[in-house]
Amino acid sequence: MSEQHKRALLLVAHGSRRSASNDEIKRLAERLDSSERGDFEMVDAAFLELAEPSIADGIEDCIQRGATEVVVFPYFLSAGRHVSEDIPAQVKIKQQQYSSIKITIASYLGDADAMPGMIFEHLNTSR
Amino acid sequence: MSEQHKRALLLVAHGSRRSASNDEIKRLAERLDSSERGDFEMVDAAFLELAEPSIADGIEDCIQRGATEVVVFPYFLSAGRHVSEDIPAQVKIKQQQYSSIKITIASYLGDADAMPGMIFEHLNTSR
């Protein structure tokens, strides 16, 4: 049995009735997973509502794949109720279930300091 | 009368019933406007629905402030109907009204090639 620390990144999007939107999130998670990945051993996607897997199931999957730490990343642009209440409520259930696993919530995407720079870079390269 | 080319960036978000969310978008536009700004002379924010100014009013403001080109940037994470249909429909009205002004729509934020890199950078710096 490995004692190694394995950190998982769980990208959490809102979820949509349009499967194409959900597929876009899954593809992004795959891109993240196949990139350098920083200090994450694995990357997966989950959805707050309207799509599968749920946040709880996404966290569970990471743990079953050997994660000893799960960082839940709200892929949201603004800090609404979903970010401040709904995601933490779902994460809390798994935190209580797995007291030996570190499960944290990163700050949401829209809060990124790098956002202004990335917007201009995107606009420069996509026109 | 100046013949100078003046390019405006109009950040378009969905709009929310929560004024705090709309304020967050306006603050981001202000941050963009007060940063290096790339090759844009001005940056402003507008909303698809639920908040003011509308896209049409946002484009109009840019033109009244002297813009000779307006780049509409959908601040959206996935390519749903809002990005593919609703924003273009509103932009088209102003394109028809101002045939001498170049009004274009940039690709939406979630489509940015830099997104995976920015996500990891954000996670590294915000934890």
Side-chain angles (χ1 to χ4, degrees):
Chain A
M1 199 172 84
S2 168
E3 294 288 299
Q4 203 191 341
H5 187 79
K6 282 181 103 171
R7 182 182 288 125
L9 172 61
L10 187 65
L11 185 77
V12 171
H14 184 279
S16 170
R17 285 182 186 82
R18 292 177 65 253
S19 61
S21 286
N22 301 325
D23 290 345
E24 198 175 341
I25 300 299
K26 290 175 189 170
R27 275 199 308 277
L28 174 59
E30 286 166 7
R31 269 178 79 191
L32 290 165
D33 197 33
S34 61
S35 70
E36 297 234 344
R37 258 198 265 115
D39 49 1
F40 294 97
E41 289 288 320
M42 61 187 92
V43 182
D44 226 326
F47 301 93
L48 178 63
E49 56 190 38
L50 302 174
E52 296 288 331
S54 66
I55 297 174
D57 287 347
I59 294 172
E60 183 67 35
D61 281 350
C62 292
I63 293 171
Q64 293 307 323
R65 288 167 63 198
T68 58
E69 177 178 350
V70 181
V71 177
V72 175
F73 171 46
Y75 191 62
F76 284 72
L77 287 175
S78 66
R81 190 173 41 80
H82 291 323
V83 168
S84 62
E85 296 174 30
D86 301 339
I87 292 176
Q90 292 201 25
V91 169
K92 193 174 182 184
I93 294 167
K94 302 306 280 187
Q95 286 168 329
Q96 288 171 335
Q97 186 183 344
Y98 289 104
S99 57
S100 66
I101 307 248
K102 188 177 174 188
I103 306 173
T104 57
I105 304 176
S107 77
Y108 65 102
L109 176 68
D111 194 39
D113 285 335
M115 187 58 83
M118 203 203 59
I119 288 173
F120 287 124
E121 187 186 328
H122 167 59
L123 292 170
N124 277 332
T125 55
S126 68
R127 276 187 298 160
Chain B
M1 199 173 82
S2 167
E3 294 288 299
Q4 203 191 340
H5 187 79
K6 283 180 102 171
R7 183 181 288 126
L9 172 61
L10 187 64
L11 185 77
V12 171
H14 184 279
S16 170
R17 284 182 186 83
R18 293 176 66 252
S19 61
S21 285
N22 301 325
D23 290 345
E24 197 175 343
I25 300 298
K26 290 175 189 169
R27 275 200 308 276
L28 174 60
E30 286 167 8
R31 269 179 78 191
L32 290 165
D33 198 33
S34 61
S35 70
E36 296 235 345
R37 258 197 264 115
D39 49 0
F40 295 96
E41 290 288 320
M42 60 187 91
V43 182
D44 225 327
F47 300 93
L48 179 62
E49 56 189 39
L50 302 174
E52 295 290 330
S54 67
I55 296 173
D57 287 348
I59 293 172
E60 184 67 36
D61 281 350
C62 292
I63 293 170
Q64 294 307 323
R65 289 168 62 197
T68 59
E69 177 179 350
V70 181
V71 176
V72 175
F73 171 46
Y75 191 62
F76 284 72
L77 287 175
S78 66
R81 190 172 42 81
H82 290 324
V83 168
S84 63
E85 295 174 30
D86 301 340
I87 292 175
Q90 292 201 25
V91 169
K92 192 174 183 184
I93 294 166
K94 301 307 282 188
Q95 286 169 329
Q96 288 171 337
Q97 185 183 346
Y98 289 104
S99 57
S100 66
I101 307 247
K102 187 177 175 188
I103 306 174
T104 58
I105 304 176
S107 76
Y108 64 102
L109 175 68
D111 194 38
D113 286 334
M115 187 58 81
M118 204 203 58
I119 287 173
F120 287 124
E121 188 186 327
H122 167 58
L123 292 171
N124 277 331
T125 54
S126 67
R127 273 186 300 161

